[in-house]
Amino acid sequence: MIVNTQDLLQALGYIKPALGGKTMPILKYVEFTEDGSFTKLRTTNLEITAITLLSYEGDKFTNFLVDFFDLFNLVKTIHDDTIELNIDIPVLTLRTSSGEFKLEILPTDEFPQRNIKQEEVQAKCVIPSMFVPGVANSFIGYAEDSRPAMTVMYFDFSGDDVTVASTNSFIISAFDIRYSDMYEKVNPDFVGAPVHNGIVSILKGLKEDVSLTFYKKYVELVSGDSIYEVQYVNTKYPNYKPFLVGEKQFVVDKHMLYDTITRLTAVEHNPDELVILSYN
């Protein structure tokens, strides 16, 4: 099959957040499967699954697995507009104008299959593209911690809008997605979802609108030709709302704010180590 070089690099970038391999070496592979006029690329670390489509030209091919970084690092060095991939398990041959490159590949039956059963939809919402970076950068929790509630991005459906919350136990972040016309709460008893923090790196790599469908055990994200399935974390999220003073917002110059906070940290007689911010 023949693929566009930049399209292949972009597709690999989309599915990188779900890459595994620390505990199971097979999870460092990317799965290529034939899907009509497209090839479907899939990675998984068992908590996150990422799928994207890549168009190709040529005959149907045998599905295969290849080491993600072996392929990614090789394709980055290729300057041709297109690459011809010849699949003959256990060898993948990449043909370019500068020569042939060979990588070891495996059959797909060794790769974990998608075992998520379709569940009843609990809620839906859309994050417009202009707000995707804001949602991603609002996360202040820990990547790994002994307290699971500190590691999740919590999607709160208890109000009229969807609120995305996170905390490191010292600071609380609450980002409102104020688009109720794009928000549908299917199950009235569904109050929220503690989503694995792998969703943060996914959101940071997306540039289009993101549609989220929440099920009982996972959330599905769809953006362009890419689909992500992110598991929930088994934890009870703390009630953060009493600690939010209000909904007023203001804008300040970040350099002036930094200088002000720096001067305050030099004050040694503040026994509570607290700073109160107020404005009129």
Side-chain angles (χ1 to χ4, degrees):
M1 64 175 171
I2 298 175
V3 299
N4 180 278
T5 306
Q6 290 304 314
D7 288 349
L8 176 56
L9 278 175
Q10 185 177 58
L12 291 171
Y14 284 148
I15 61 174
K16 186 179 178 181
L19 199 63
K22 290 184 178 180
T23 56
M24 294 176 60
I26 195 67
L27 299 183
K28 68 178 183 177
Y29 283 76
V30 53
E31 179 188 57
F32 281 72
T33 56
E34 190 272 329
D35 188 3
S37 59
F38 294 91
T39 175
K40 184 164 61 179
L41 283 66
R42 180 172 70 99
T43 56
T44 183
N45 60 15
L46 302 183
E47 293 174 324
I48 306 170
T49 297
I51 300 168
T52 194
L53 298 176
L54 174 68
S55 60
Y56 75 96
E57 297 179 359
D59 299 330
K60 291 185 178 181
F61 61 90
T62 303
N63 300 338
F64 65 95
L65 302 175
V66 62
D67 184 286
F68 180 93
F69 285 108
D70 285 351
L71 178 62
F72 184 72
N73 292 331
L74 175 56
V75 175
K76 284 196 301 183
T77 67
I78 297 174
H79 302 292
D80 293 2
D81 291 336
T82 59
I83 307 172
E84 181 182 349
L85 282 69
N86 182 49
I87 300 98
D88 187 12
I89 296 176
V91 177
L92 170 66
T93 303
L94 289 78
R95 294 192 174 98
T96 70
S97 61
S98 58
E100 293 186 354
F101 305 90
K102 297 183 182 296
L103 296 175
E104 181 183 0
I105 57 177
L106 301 172
T108 56
D109 55 6
E110 298 188 33
F111 202 59
Q113 299 302 307
R114 296 175 67 190
N115 56 6
I116 296 179
K117 297 180 180 179
Q118 192 71 9
E119 303 173 353
E120 293 183 1
V121 174
Q122 305 296 304
K124 298 179 180 179
C125 70
V126 174
I127 306 177
S129 59
M130 64 183 297
F131 294 118
V132 171
V135 174
N137 292 323
S138 71
F139 179 75
I140 58 172
Y142 297 107
E144 295 180 7
D145 192 84
S146 58
R147 294 167 295 177
M150 304 295 110
T151 70
V152 303
M153 176 174 274
Y154 185 73
F155 286 78
D156 186 352
F157 292 90
S158 61
D160 294 331
D161 299 302
V162 183
T163 300
V164 183
S166 62
T167 181
N168 58 14
S169 77
F170 299 103
I171 304 173
I172 298 170
S173 170
F175 189 103
D176 288 340
I177 306 175
R178 298 182 179 277
Y179 280 83
S180 57
D181 57 330
M182 300 181 184
Y183 162 41
E184 179 185 0
K185 189 171 180 179
V186 180
N187 180 359
D189 297 326
F190 186 68
V191 295
V195 180
H196 187 280
N197 58 54
I199 193 175
V200 178
S201 58
I202 292 172
L203 291 172
K204 287 183 176 180
L206 300 179
K207 302 184 184 303
E208 302 181 44
D209 291 356
V210 182
S211 299
L212 295 90
T213 303
F214 292 83
Y215 297 91
K216 290 184 178 180
K217 296 181 180 179
Y218 72 99
V219 58
E220 178 186 79
L221 293 79
V222 178
S223 181
D225 292 329
S226 300
I227 300 173
Y228 305 88
E229 295 165 348
V230 185
Q231 300 281 346
Y232 301 156
V233 175
N234 185 19
T235 184
K236 183 178 181 180
Y237 202 74
N239 182 14
Y240 63 92
K241 290 186 177 181
F243 299 96
L244 299 179
V245 177
E247 297 183 356
K248 293 183 179 180
Q249 298 179 354
F250 59 96
V251 178
V252 297
D253 182 277
K254 67 178 181 181
H255 299 293
M256 293 178 62
L257 178 62
Y258 176 80
D259 291 341
T260 302
I261 297 297
T262 301
R263 290 196 298 271
L264 286 172
T265 57
V267 179
E268 299 180 355
H269 62 271
N270 183 359
D272 296 326
E273 296 186 352
L274 298 176
V275 176
I276 299 175
L277 300 178
S278 63
Y279 71 102
N280 296 320

